[in-house]
Amino acid sequence: MNRPLVCVTLRGRTADEMARDAVVAKTSGADVVEARLDLLWTTEHRVEPKSSSDEKRNGDRDIIEVEISRLDLDAVDLDSALSTIVEAVDLPLVMSCRPERQGGYYPGTEEQRIEALRAAIKCGPRWVDLESDIVKSTRDDLLDLTGDDTGVIASMHSIDGTPPASMITQEIEDNQDLGDIIKACYETTNRTEGLRIFEAAWELRESGINTALMGLGPGGDWARIHAPLLGQFMVYTTTESGWHLAQQGRINASDVQTAWSLLEYA
């Protein structure tokens, strides 16, 4: 079975932080890195809740909460940030700028976000992430800019839960002509919903569609861990580590490759 590409979504809320994480991603065995430009307009503050002595004796772990604050649009010099990221990254690069309607943080209008994507495409990334719900005429204009060297990831990020496996499969098939890779990410509230994503990926494994299916929440990492078996093209990971990743449906880049080796997938 083929080994999927390992894509690390760069951590950080500034271009410099993303550039530093790109170095860590490379040492973790990443094939590709993703720069989520919408995160440049955010800051984060970690809130560590206090545990009682009884909880500590019982071995309970604290849940570290992260508060995310948003910046105004004019707080970021996008051209400078793009230059910093492009110069620092020496792996194939995915550029994305997720809108609020799909769980992102870009603070401007849709027209301004499209201009940010135009600027990203002009930097010549290996792939650009274009949401499947972008207006067709606008999407066509962006596609005209990509040329032969920049591929397109057609993405769907659902913040309204996980539909049945049959609906996920149908959605992927309906959108297969929108990009070179079809990415779908769903928020899961339980492992049953995580299994729906796994089932959809299994049904699509011989479809010939380059897929990247995943969940955020319980069971959301199953499609990532078993991606070689499911014939997935790309798996999104992080350089972050910790027990909390499994609860969030995410996985560390090194850990997923170790899992593939132990499962004799790759």
Side-chain angles (χ1 to χ4, degrees):
M1 60 188 72
N2 294 327
R3 177 187 179 278
L5 294 177
V6 175
C7 177
V8 166
T9 298
L10 297 176
R11 301 168 65 191
R13 308 283 173 173
T14 68
D16 287 336
E17 290 174 350
M18 290 184 184
R20 288 194 292 270
D21 197 46
V23 177
V24 180
K26 187 172 183 179
T27 61
S28 298
D31 303 300
V32 185
V33 294
E34 177 193 29
R36 270 191 58 185
L37 301 179
D38 58 295
L39 295 180
L40 296 173
W41 282 274
T42 63
T43 60
E44 70 175 22
H45 174 64
R46 293 180 179 269
V47 180
E48 299 187 24
K50 296 180 180 179
S51 297
S52 68
S53 57
D54 289 340
E55 288 175 331
K56 290 180 179 179
R57 282 197 298 270
N58 292 332
D60 291 343
R61 295 163 170 156
D62 291 342
I63 297 177
I64 300 177
E65 299 179 356
V66 176
E67 293 181 352
I68 297 177
S69 300
R70 304 185 185 216
L71 303 177
D72 293 334
L73 185 62
D74 59 5
V76 175
D77 183 340
L78 181 59
D79 289 338
S80 176
L82 286 171
S83 178
T84 297
I85 293 169
V86 170
E87 289 178 7
V89 173
D90 61 354
L91 288 171
L93 177 62
V94 176
M95 289 281 200
S96 62
C97 187
R98 195 176 303 171
E100 288 188 10
R101 66 179 183 273
Q102 293 203 22
Y105 297 97
Y106 186 75
T109 65
E110 178 67 357
E111 290 75 15
Q112 290 169 321
R113 191 181 74 89
I114 295 302
E115 288 306 311
L117 286 170
R118 289 182 191 276
I121 292 171
K122 290 178 181 178
C123 292
R126 177 61 186 87
W127 285 282
V128 62
D129 185 315
L130 302 179
E131 294 78 17
S132 62
D133 62 359
I134 293 176
V135 174
K136 184 180 185 304
S137 58
T138 301
R139 185 185 187 84
D140 289 343
D141 288 342
L142 292 173
L143 290 175
D144 288 341
L145 295 176
T146 57
D148 296 329
D149 296 328
T150 298
V152 174
I153 299 174
S155 65
M156 299 165 279
H157 305 90
S158 174
I159 58 177
D160 298 321
T162 305
S166 59
M167 290 184 64
I168 296 174
T169 301
Q170 188 63 56
E171 191 169 32
I172 298 298
E173 292 175 341
D174 289 346
N175 288 298
Q176 63 180 298
D177 294 330
L178 294 182
D180 304 292
I181 304 170
I182 309 300
K183 175 190 177 187
C185 182
Y186 302 90
E187 286 194 2
T188 63
T189 58
N190 53 61
R191 295 186 183 279
T192 298
E193 293 183 350
L195 184 58
R196 294 176 189 172
I197 300 170
F198 184 96
E199 290 175 350
W202 178 259
E203 290 298 321
L204 291 163
R205 70 191 186 283
E206 296 179 352
S207 66
I209 303 172
N210 293 330
T211 59
L213 273 64
M214 69 209 81
L216 288 177
D221 57 351
W222 292 348
R224 308 181 205 242
I225 293 171
H226 300 287
L229 177 68
L230 299 173
Q232 298 226 68
F233 184 81
M234 184 182 290
V235 172
Y236 284 76
T237 65
T238 179
T239 59
E240 189 176 347
S241 60
W243 64 275
H244 61 286
L245 291 179
Q247 292 183 329
Q248 297 173 358
R250 300 189 295 145
I251 194 165
N252 175 272
S254 295
D255 289 349
V256 76
Q257 293 172 85
T258 298
W260 292 348
S261 178
L262 292 173
L263 292 167
E264 299 184 351
Y265 287 158

